Amino acid sequence: MGPENLGRDVPTTDTDLMPKALITGITGQDGSYLAEFLLGRGYDVVGMLRRSSTVNFERIDHIQDEITLAQGDLLDGASMIQVLRDHEPDEVYNLAAQSFVQTSFGQAVLTGETTGLGVTRLLDAIRMVKPDIRFYQASSSEMFGKVNQVPQDEDTPFHPRSPYGVAKVYGHWITVNYRESYDMHASSGILFNHESPRRGLEFVTRKITDGAARIKLGLADELRLGNLDAQRDWGFAGDYVKAMWQMVQQDEPGDFVICMGETHSVREFCKLAFGMLDLDWEQYVTVDPQFYRPAEVDLLIGDRSKAEKVLGWTPETSFEELVRMMVEADVKRLQS
Ligand code: NAP
Ligand code: GDD
């Protein structure tokens, strides 16, 4: 399929013919954007979520009436078999994970069970219930870790630097293995960092935009961060979910790097975000060793040539637009 063709024909009128997608991790940042995107293309969207003692629908509140929710957990294979039997989706997007790198050092086994083995549980469930399901695995640039090559592409060797990265390497290779072993339509999207106003507050970009907004509004007087020299290839999550869908529409499954192709340090991010609020970041940001990691990923920058050529995917939101969007959203939220 060429770049001009964005996918299989998606019927939008007859509800019986509407393709059905199951999204794991529906309550997460990407789950909410992907659900919006698929609804916009006429999909019947089922979101899998795990049981929790409090409702956690902040990101999907506005689309709750348009989607179906089903309870399942990556730690429990039978629960996913049941969800697949009940809903018989055409496509499954596995976005669920223990996704915070710092936590993975303290909860390495849980991260391995969820982010790594959870992928096998889900692939096995698909194999048992409906093997013709098209599958997307949320792989990560964190797999490149201590990078062997700059920029990183689909052929760059992996050298993960955290239990999270190790678990994602496992999830990636089991996806490739099930594709090769069982002829499953299973694709792996190697996505570089992508952010948004819906990003979790513990990730550095959102921590900075939220912190800067609090300082501007007089709600805080400092922001404590870790390694300011780390460099990341940051894009907008809303742009990246389209690439997930495009991968699943290809005749042949595959692996694709999705990125901006530019890198910025945490320091630069601070300067830009605080600057947008007319604040000098150096007066407020303090380095706190508690936010340093046992092993760091120093530099990530991707090469998206394959995605551009095969999928026709390019990002629509610039780095500066992304930072502005996040800063403005945090100011607005804290003012209301
Ligand atoms: P996120 O906001 O942390 O969302 C993770 C989702 O996984 C949440 O809905 C969470 O549910 C769910 N989850 C966690 N453990 C689960 C379990 N045992 N069973 C079922 N669901 C579980 O992550 P994100 O930023 O949207 O990222 C989506 C995926 O892409 C993740 O796999 C992440 O590792 C990967 N990824 C992200 C980036 C990025 O920059 N954002 C880059 C590359 C890859 P709760 O709400 O109940 O916690
Ligand atoms: N979270 C955090 N908090 N990170 C900080 C801080 C801080 O106070 N100070 C500096 N950093 C640095 C981290 O050391 C890291 O080098 C960088 O900021 C980015 O950290 P995160 O925003 O936590 O993201 P990440 O790159 O570790 O992981 C994210 O991107 C991966 C893709 O490369 C997550 O979304 C992963 O799930 C994703 O796979």
Side-chain angles (χ1 to χ4, degrees):
M1 189 191 321
E4 71 290 346
N5 188 347
L6 288 188
R8 292 180 280 166
D9 287 338
V10 178
T12 51
T13 46
D14 184 342
T15 44
D16 288 341
L17 292 176
M18 278 158 81
K20 192 185 277 189
L22 173 74
I23 303 174
T24 74
I26 189 81
T27 55
Q29 170 188 260
D30 291 6
S32 65
Y33 281 110
L34 181 63
E36 278 172 14
F37 176 82
L38 294 177
L39 286 170
R41 295 202 63 93
Y43 274 72
D44 193 351
V45 175
V46 180
M48 190 186 92
L49 75 171
R50 57 179 170 168
R51 193 263 163 186
S52 99
S53 65
T54 49
V55 174
N56 175 20
F57 293 172
E58 202 181 314
R59 297 180 175 111
I60 51 169
D61 238 356
H62 59 298
I63 48 170
Q64 241 200 95
D65 294 344
E66 298 168 71
I67 61 180
T68 306
L69 295 174
Q71 234 181 63
D73 198 305
L74 284 183
L75 299 176
D76 185 333
S79 71
M80 292 188 283
I81 291 173
Q82 195 58 50
V83 170
L84 293 175
R85 280 192 184 141
D86 289 347
H87 297 281
E88 299 182 343
D90 304 296
E91 301 172 6
V92 170
Y93 296 84
N94 182 35
L95 308 187
Q98 190 305 93
S99 76
F100 189 41
V101 171
Q102 183 105 36
T103 292
S104 78
F105 287 102
Q107 299 181 15
V109 172
L110 176 83
T111 303
E113 283 284 353
T114 309
T115 306
L117 274 176
V119 187
T120 311
R121 291 191 192 95
L122 181 51
L123 283 165
D124 276 340
I126 291 172
R127 221 155 55 82
M128 282 178 225
V129 178
K130 195 169 178 271
D132 65 341
I133 282 173
R134 292 188 172 204
F135 177 78
Y136 172 84
Q137 167 58 15
S139 292
S140 166
S141 52
E142 185 73 12
M143 301 190 301
F144 297 124
K146 192 170 161 52
V147 298
N148 268 272
Q149 183 187 310
V150 179
Q152 299 85 50
D153 63 22
E154 293 79 4
D155 297 320
T156 304
F158 300 139
H159 184 151
R161 295 274 278 172
S162 62
Y164 168 83
V166 173
K168 281 289 179 189
V169 170
Y170 175 87
H172 169 79
W173 281 116
I174 202 71
T175 301
V176 174
N177 181 257
Y178 273 42
R179 180 203 303 159
E180 293 174 352
S181 304
Y182 307 116
D183 202 23
M184 290 173 72
H185 196 291
S187 291
S188 175
I190 306 175
L191 271 53
F192 282 62
N193 298 51
H194 44 280
E195 320 293 313
S196 74
R198 297 184 201 165
R199 185 59 141 154
L201 282 163
E202 68 274 39
F203 297 93
V204 77
T205 55
R206 186 75 199 289
K207 190 171 166 184
I208 295 168
T209 60
D210 174 73
R214 280 178 194 280
I215 290 166
K216 181 70 183 177
L217 297 174
L219 303 171
D221 52 19
E222 69 163 354
L223 175 64
R224 304 181 87 82
L225 295 174
N227 179 13
L228 302 180
D229 295 318
Q231 289 173 269
R232 290 291 183 276
D233 183 329
W234 281 297
F236 173 47
D239 292 345
Y240 284 36
V241 297
K242 180 177 177 185
M244 299 176 186
W245 172 79
Q246 287 178 307
M247 286 175 217
V248 172
Q249 310 317 306
Q250 300 305 302
D251 292 338
E252 297 299 326
D255 309 323
F256 293 90
V257 160
I258 301 297
C259 62
M260 299 288 281
E262 59 181 75
T263 195
H264 302 272
S265 66
V266 173
R267 191 185 306 277
E268 270 177 84
F269 197 106
C270 287
K271 189 172 178 211
L272 192 57
F274 278 77
M276 284 173 182
L277 296 173
D278 299 319
L279 296 171
D280 174 6
W281 72 279
E282 287 179 293
Q283 286 184 21
Y284 303 100
V285 173
T286 318
V287 170
D288 184 337
Q290 74 163 300
F291 298 113
Y292 273 80
R293 295 170 181 183
E296 178 63 289
V297 173
D298 296 317
L299 164 71
L300 291 175
I301 178 167
D303 173 351
R304 64 166 186 270
S305 307
K306 181 180 174 189
E308 271 195 31
K309 187 164 169 245
V310 180
L311 308 177
W313 182 87
T314 49
E316 287 168 24
T317 311
S318 72
F319 175 66
E320 190 167 335
E321 285 167 343
L322 169 68
V323 180
R324 188 171 298 285
M325 182 197 311
M326 293 177 69
V327 168
E328 286 177 356
D330 274 321
V331 170
K332 197 169 161 198
R333 178 181 56 91
L334 290 165
Q335 274 174 332
S336 61

